Amino acid sequence: GLVPPTVERRIDGRRGAVQLWVEGVMTGKARRDRKIEPKGPRHVIRWQHQIHCVRLFHQLTYNTDLGNLENILVSPDFQVWVIDASRAFGIHRKLIAPDDLRAFPRPALERLEALDETVLEETMGDLLSDLQVEGLLARRDRILTLVKARLVERGPGQVLIQ
């Protein structure tokens, strides 16, 4: 639920993607610069949940543009959208910034645990090379190992988000 609907298309004979334009949003940079914060417990919890999912997404996909807040869009009700993952899906087996992974939404972890080569083949088809799939699965394993370590270090109350 973090990426606007996106489909593959051929444009002028070149393979590319077309993504739904999200209106009425500001960039993460504009939100930060204007010091706009979520108000009320419901928005704060939603915000924190989504930001932890964004961090997890960037680590899983090895998005080297993870620090670019222009690629995070925020609606007035603090729905977060991630756009422009053109620098994602590297072949590396390591995580870019494991210290960014401090808390994990339970539903995201459940989906991560279920992620395997079959799921990737069904959802990504030929969009990823074998090396990209291998890297992604290795990063998944590193993230799950990191979760276990964080649970031992800090306990479930500090690591797992509902």
Side-chain angles (χ1 to χ4, degrees):
L2 292 175
V3 178
T6 307
V7 296
E8 180 184 358
R9 291 288 185 260
R10 287 214 173 265
I11 300 169
D12 295 330
R14 294 177 52 206
R15 188 176 180 181
V18 177
Q19 189 169 73
L20 180 71
W21 185 263
V22 184
E23 295 188 10
V25 295
M26 68 184 118
T27 66
K29 181 180 181 317
R31 185 205 63 81
R32 185 197 63 201
D33 292 350
R34 295 179 195 155
K35 298 182 174 137
I36 299 172
E37 298 295 331
K39 293 187 176 39
R42 185 175 60 103
H43 286 128
V44 169
I45 290 168
R46 180 181 186 193
W47 172 255
Q48 290 172 344
H49 178 93
Q50 291 177 106
I51 291 304
H52 288 296
C53 284
V54 168
R55 290 175 179 161
L56 183 61
F57 176 76
H58 287 318
Q59 297 303 313
L60 179 64
T61 62
Y62 204 87
N63 186 356
T64 58
D65 204 18
L66 65 116
N68 185 350
L69 295 178
E70 297 287 333
N71 290 339
I72 295 177
L73 305 178
V74 183
S75 71
D77 67 345
F78 282 86
Q79 168 66 43
V80 174
W81 300 99
V82 177
I83 60 169
D84 188 6
S86 60
R87 295 183 185 169
F89 297 105
I91 63 172
H92 306 285
R93 302 173 77 81
K94 63 181 181 172
L95 301 174
I96 297 172
D99 290 343
D100 281 356
L101 299 174
R102 296 185 293 268
F104 305 87
R106 288 180 193 262
L109 281 180
E110 290 168 6
R111 289 191 303 271
L112 192 61
E113 289 170 341
L115 183 65
D116 62 17
E117 198 166 344
T118 302
V119 171
L120 287 171
E121 179 62 34
E122 290 172 1
T123 57
M124 302 299 284
D126 67 345
L127 296 174
L128 298 179
S129 71
D130 289 346
L131 287 175
Q132 287 172 307
V133 169
E134 289 171 17
L136 192 144
L137 292 174
R139 292 188 300 275
R140 177 215 48 202
D141 293 345
R142 285 182 185 262
I143 291 168
L144 293 175
T145 298
L146 182 66
V147 170
K148 290 176 185 170
R150 298 268 195 268
L151 286 168
V152 169
E153 293 167 8
R154 301 179 187 156
Q158 297 294 314
V159 175
L160 301 176
I161 301 171
Q162 295 302 328

